[in-house]
Amino acid sequence: MTFKYNTIIATVGVLLAATVLLWSAAGQADSLRRIVHPDGRIEYTNVGKPARGDQVLGGGRGEKIYKYRAPNGVLSFSDQKPKNQAYEIVKIQCYACNPVSSVNWRNTPLNLTAYAQLVRKAAAQHSVDPALVRALIHAESAFNPTAVSHMGAQGLMQLMPATAASLGVENAFDARQNIDGGVKHLADLLQTFKGDARLAVAAYNAGAGAVRKYGGVPPYAETQVYVERVAILRQRYNEKVGAAP
């Protein structure tokens, strides 16, 4: 997993509009105008570069956006898959990595049921707190098994292909393989940093090398807020599922 972010500013009126910065599959940023119509239909319009003062928010909400060129030649975006024409899926990124996210991490809804058995099994096998695993999945992908970052990190626990291969994960979009591989990776990091979950989580985000280089959580805004939010989520999941701290 690496740094990944979106920008969004919301206004409320007859339509709900937002400026959104999303990463395309090619790793380029598309600045869009997001319009939610009264009937719930969502449209995206290319508006050029984001304006100064745009806020940065977490994405990863499972919303799939299709980028395509309309018959009149206009570059268009929609949450509806285009019919009978080529399209590209614009990828929404890491849910908890953005420094000025407006999400209240102390009361945002938890997901206590998705992949519960797989999480419990992998956590027990690798001796990792299941609440930490749930917190990490929540932070990485918001429990979206098809999540993909612009850098190529894949699935629930956002495994990079090389990392997945080293962990024996053949299909990172398979929930069982992804969770088992991600938890094993997390367990290895916990061992590397002598059980310090804060440092292990920082390494999961920024790499063990960066944590060693700075002797702690790296001074990257994305990593610092990520570590803080995972800790909040872990505490909340512990309270709900009764896992050991």
Side-chain angles (χ1 to χ4, degrees):
M1 201 279 288
T2 188
F3 310 135
K4 311 161 267 201
Y5 34 87
N6 308 332
T7 61
I8 181 169
I9 297 178
T11 58
V12 179
V14 177
L15 302 179
L16 178 64
T19 300
V20 184
L21 181 63
L22 298 173
W23 288 96
S24 72
Q28 300 297 315
D30 293 307
S31 184
L32 317 179
R33 187 74 174 173
R34 182 181 191 273
I35 303 174
V36 182
H37 293 264
D39 62 1
R41 181 169 50 88
I42 300 174
E43 290 183 332
Y44 295 86
T45 304
N46 196 354
V47 294
K49 295 182 179 180
R52 180 185 296 272
D54 281 356
Q55 283 188 301
V56 181
L57 292 188
R61 303 180 192 277
E63 185 174 40
K64 191 175 283 187
I65 301 170
Y66 298 92
K67 173 182 176 180
Y68 62 97
R69 196 163 295 279
N72 62 1
V74 175
L75 188 63
S76 303
F77 302 84
S78 174
D79 64 337
Q80 301 297 313
K81 181 187 290 187
K83 295 182 179 180
N84 303 319
Q85 64 185 101
Y87 63 85
E88 175 184 340
I89 296 176
V90 177
K91 299 165 183 176
I92 298 178
Q93 310 303 336
C94 173
Y95 188 55
C97 299
N98 298 295
V100 291
S101 169
S102 66
V103 173
N104 186 332
W105 300 93
R106 297 189 183 280
N107 63 22
T108 192
L110 301 179
N111 187 330
L112 299 170
T113 58
Y115 313 104
Q117 184 175 355
L118 293 177
V119 168
R120 285 194 298 267
K121 181 178 179 180
Q125 180 178 350
H126 300 292
S127 301
V128 176
D129 178 6
L132 177 57
V133 177
R134 294 202 77 79
L136 207 68
I137 294 174
H138 191 145
E140 287 288 340
S141 67
F143 295 88
N144 177 6
T146 62
V148 180
S149 82
H150 70 284
M151 291 297 290
Q154 300 172 337
L156 290 164
M157 298 191 73
Q158 288 291 274
L159 301 178
M160 291 296 290
T163 301
S166 72
L167 295 165
V169 176
E170 296 179 356
N171 180 5
F173 298 110
D174 177 85
R176 179 189 62 79
Q177 293 185 50
N178 189 287
I179 291 173
D180 184 70
V183 175
K184 183 180 187 303
H185 181 44
L186 179 59
D188 290 343
L189 292 172
L190 284 165
Q191 184 175 15
T192 296
F193 295 103
K194 300 179 180 180
D196 190 322
R198 180 177 171 81
L199 296 184
V201 169
Y204 198 97
N205 176 265
V211 174
R212 293 192 191 97
K213 176 181 178 180
Y214 291 101
V217 178
Y220 311 145
E222 293 87 353
T223 302
Q224 291 177 347
V225 296
Y226 176 86
V227 170
E228 177 185 353
R229 291 163 186 170
V230 169
I232 292 170
L233 291 169
R234 180 189 185 185
Q235 179 181 5
R236 293 182 61 210
Y237 276 113
N238 262 318
E239 292 171 353
K240 293 294 185 180
V241 303

